[in-house]
Amino acid sequence: MGDSETARQAAAPDIRGNASALPREALEISAGYTFAGPALDLGALLWDGQCLPDAQIRIPLPMLNRHGLVAGATGTGKTKTLQLIAEQLSAQGVPVFLADVKGDLSGVSAPGTGDDRVRGRAAEVRQQWTPAGFPAEFFALGGMGHGIPVRATVTSFGPVLLSKVLGLNQTQEQSLGLIFHYADTKGLELFDLKDLRAVVAFLTSDEGKAELKQIGGLSTATAGVILRSLTAFEAQGMAGFFGEPEFATGDFLRTGADGRGIVSVLELPAVQDRPQLFSTFLMWLLADLFHDLPEVGDVDKPKLVFFFDEAHLLFDGASKAFLDSITQTVRLIRSKGVGVFFVTQTPKDVPSDVLGQLGNRVQHALRAFTPDDQKALRATVKTFPDSAYDLEELLTTVGTGEAVVTVLSEQGAPTPVAATRLRAPESLMGPVDGAALDRAVRGSALYGRYAQAVDRESAYEKLTAERERPRPQQAQARAERGRAPEAEPTLVEQVVGSGMFKSLARSVGTQLGREITRSLFGTARRRR
């Protein structure tokens, strides 16, 4: 036995022995976390105010795609829990996606610092703590930050998600859906916001009124509201999030040369004041993964585990169509090997239809200072299985770095509720410095693919070019307004018939296929 291991054991609590020496209630809880296959180690059981290192609390690796919830009040240790789980997933060859809202998760790439506090925690839970960094890639929405830019085309983002970003009401959302449908059927590629604005502007122009009527159900006034919303959105500097090259979400599903899963960290501090934008973009990433990945059923380990931080922002003010799409995505993406963990303050932040699908729970402390807090506490207690603990008291007394845990066993049944003292992450618990981050980003194989924005010819250029092209018969046509509307092709019909446009338009089968893929959130991908 090495000197370091001897020191760890000497510092461990007096309550040790073997599992059979545990109190009866603790023994029953511990038995629920004894798994035959690979698992992630969360920490040691807390019972009657004592930490019992012989009772290890774990999550079976195959159950990580049954989704989960990490909840708790600010400052209770949720971020460190994400880091702890991400490290162990990476070590077992599972790629991880982390939304870094506060900017302190980049440290997962660097070895941690073994100070007295870390060493003390490791000794308490009998953890063989070794400082280690994990393979990581760093991203930023639209390039706002240090990371590799993540962009989406407007076509792939779809009308439901875009409506949430623009703050449109249900009627306006439905109208935007009709506009997307029109662009799809005409083969007008919407790469960036100016493309969509060009289509809406055309439909509200004198030349486009006939086309507007053919769509059905879209008023000129509503189209005008959408156009103004787009213009205001661009004026706020948001245009950079949409465009090309569009990010291929399959790049999240990678492992390093050593077989460890790559941790993809999406840097969000630069857009903290735009919560609707970044939360909706996270949902686009998830919906896009759903579209691209094949069905795999139950797997030995997930293809990806996706941590959705500040999850309450996703649901705030969401339309019924939006909530239904979230529920369906979470329900179905499990069979594609993707696990989703929502991270928020209380379970009540997550709609019940979604919460019911989250099989793994790590609940940090809750506050109960006000009547509303107490109501939320009681509601949280009701979401747990029956327990040997007084959960209402326990959830207000667990300390920082401790949590109440229940997961799914290897058979898919809920494990007993376990108060847990969590392990310490082995990577740096804080951000790496900006210079190191920039070096990592520019050294990435993905940097050259996504760093530089491009602006290919698309709907805006084609409609603008066609509008400006001189048409000698235009004056004569205007003089003969008494003719039936069908006698003169509309502008878009002329565009569709032009040789320039034919290079863009796809076959009827391709157009129908695109519309069919607009099932969840109305999302679509050009490359499908």
Side-chain angles (χ1 to χ4, degrees):
M1 183 181 297
D3 292 341
S4 60
E5 180 63 18
T6 302
R8 287 192 190 98
Q9 293 193 5
D14 291 334
I15 299 176
R16 301 179 56 179
N18 53 44
S20 61
L22 294 172
R24 179 183 59 81
E25 297 91 342
L27 186 60
E28 291 174 355
I29 295 171
S30 177
Y33 292 87
T34 303
F35 308 125
L40 276 60
D41 296 308
L42 292 180
L45 180 68
L46 290 168
W47 181 259
D48 197 21
Q50 296 175 312
C51 182
L52 307 178
D54 285 317
Q56 291 291 309
I57 306 304
R58 314 169 75 213
I59 305 179
L61 185 61
M63 292 295 110
L64 267 294
N65 74 328
R66 299 294 184 95
H67 310 320
L69 176 74
V70 178
T74 301
T76 55
K78 296 191 299 296
T79 300
K80 301 303 179 287
T81 298
L82 304 191
Q83 196 166 340
L84 173 66
I85 296 175
E87 290 176 354
Q88 295 188 57
L89 286 168
S90 174
Q92 300 206 45
V94 177
V96 178
F97 172 89
L98 294 175
D100 189 8
V101 177
K102 294 185 289 291
D104 53 2
L105 282 170
S106 59
V108 73
S109 62
T113 303
D115 56 23
D116 290 342
R117 185 176 179 182
V118 168
R119 286 189 290 268
R121 171 58 60 97
E124 288 174 345
V125 300
R126 199 171 296 160
Q127 173 188 6
Q128 296 185 9
W129 189 89
T130 304
F134 295 81
E137 293 275 15
F138 302 100
F139 302 93
L141 283 185
M144 287 187 65
H146 295 274
I148 297 164
V150 174
R151 304 180 187 90
T153 64
V154 172
T155 286
S156 73
F157 206 71
V160 177
L161 292 175
L162 189 58
S163 294
K164 183 112 177 7
V165 168
L166 295 176
L168 302 182
N169 63 31
Q170 185 173 346
T171 299
Q172 294 158 358
E173 176 186 313
Q174 294 168 348
S175 297
L176 185 61
L178 292 173
I179 294 169
F180 269 79
H181 173 71
Y182 176 80
D184 283 350
T185 56
K186 297 299 183 182
L188 291 167
E189 294 281 15
L190 308 176
F191 292 156
D192 49 31
L193 289 178
K194 72 177 185 298
D195 290 325
L196 178 58
R197 186 157 41 80
V199 172
V200 179
F202 164 68
L203 290 173
T204 56
S205 69
D206 290 339
E207 292 174 294
K209 285 181 180 179
E211 300 291 332
L212 192 64
K213 291 179 181 178
Q214 291 175 20
I215 294 177
L218 175 62
S219 70
T220 304
T222 299
V225 170
I226 294 171
L227 185 60
R228 289 192 295 274
S229 298
L230 285 170
T231 302
F233 190 71
E234 287 184 285
Q236 295 168 16
M238 306 298 189
F241 299 109
F242 295 96
E244 292 191 307
E246 182 174 72
F247 187 77
T249 50
D251 285 333
F252 290 144
L253 280 69
R254 296 184 301 135
T255 55
D258 58 2
R260 292 186 297 173
I262 290 178
V263 181
S264 298
V265 182
L266 181 64
E267 179 185 350
L268 294 173
V271 292
Q272 278 192 86
D273 59 340
R274 302 175 180 94
Q276 294 282 20
L277 175 67
F278 76 70
S279 64
T280 310
F281 245 93
L282 294 180
M283 199 65 229
W284 171 73
L285 294 173
L286 197 57
D288 192 71
L289 284 165
F290 173 82
H291 279 304
D292 278 353
L293 293 176
E295 294 279 343
V296 293
D298 292 328
V299 290
D300 292 336
K301 62 182 181 182
K303 288 186 174 183
L304 174 74
V305 176
F306 191 105
F307 288 92
F308 205 127
D309 204 356
E310 300 291 342
H312 66 282
L313 298 172
L314 182 67
F315 305 109
D316 287 348
S319 68
K320 184 179 185 302
F322 191 86
L323 291 175
D324 288 345
S325 295
I326 294 174
T327 303
Q328 189 176 2
T329 301
V330 174
R331 180 182 298 120
L332 298 178
I333 203 169
R334 177 181 68 83
S335 64
K336 301 197 173 190
V338 176
V340 183
F341 274 69
F342 291 98
V343 185
T344 188
Q345 293 203 3
T346 72
K348 73 180 184 67
D349 293 334
V350 181
S352 57
D353 287 345
V354 176
L355 188 64
Q357 298 178 57
L358 310 183
N360 304 295
R361 299 275 300 278
V362 181
Q363 176 69 60
H364 289 266
L366 291 175
R367 311 299 184 210
F369 300 139
T370 69
D372 285 344
D373 291 341
Q374 293 167 1
K375 183 178 179 180
L377 173 62
R378 289 190 291 271
T380 298
V381 169
K382 291 178 181 178
T383 65
F384 279 90
D386 291 339
S387 169
Y389 297 94
D390 180 348
L391 285 180
E392 196 163 329
E393 178 183 358
L394 180 63
L395 287 173
T396 59
T397 57
V398 289
T400 301
E402 299 175 347
V404 178
V405 174
T406 179
V407 302
L408 293 181
S409 70
E410 291 169 312
Q411 291 73 41
T415 58
V417 175
T420 306
R421 181 159 293 163
L422 299 168
R423 291 182 168 221
E426 295 183 335
S427 57
L428 181 64
M429 289 188 279
V432 298
D433 70 81
L437 198 56
D438 287 337
R439 287 194 298 271
V441 169
R442 283 167 174 73
S444 168
L446 299 179
Y447 183 76
R449 189 184 310 172
Y450 296 114
Q452 187 63 45
V454 297
D455 187 10
R456 290 195 294 147
E457 189 177 58
S458 50
Y460 171 81
E461 288 79 12
K462 296 180 189 303
L463 286 172
T464 301
E466 198 62 26
R467 182 176 293 114
E468 294 175 351
R469 183 169 63 85
R471 293 188 291 277
Q473 297 178 349
Q474 188 176 53
Q476 180 182 352
R478 287 177 177 171
E480 299 175 359
R481 292 186 182 276
R483 284 191 297 174
E486 293 77 15
E488 180 183 352
T490 64
L491 172 61
V492 171
E493 288 171 339
Q494 292 170 3
V495 174
V496 171
S498 69
M500 176 178 63
F501 183 82
K502 288 178 181 178
S503 66
L504 173 69
R506 304 291 188 260
S507 67
V508 172
T510 301
Q511 297 303 328
L512 289 176
R514 177 189 296 161
E515 290 183 41
I516 289 171
T517 62
R518 290 193 184 278
S519 53
L520 294 176
F521 297 106
T523 54
R525 293 303 291 265
R526 290 179 295 100
R527 63 176 180 273
R528 289 192 185 98

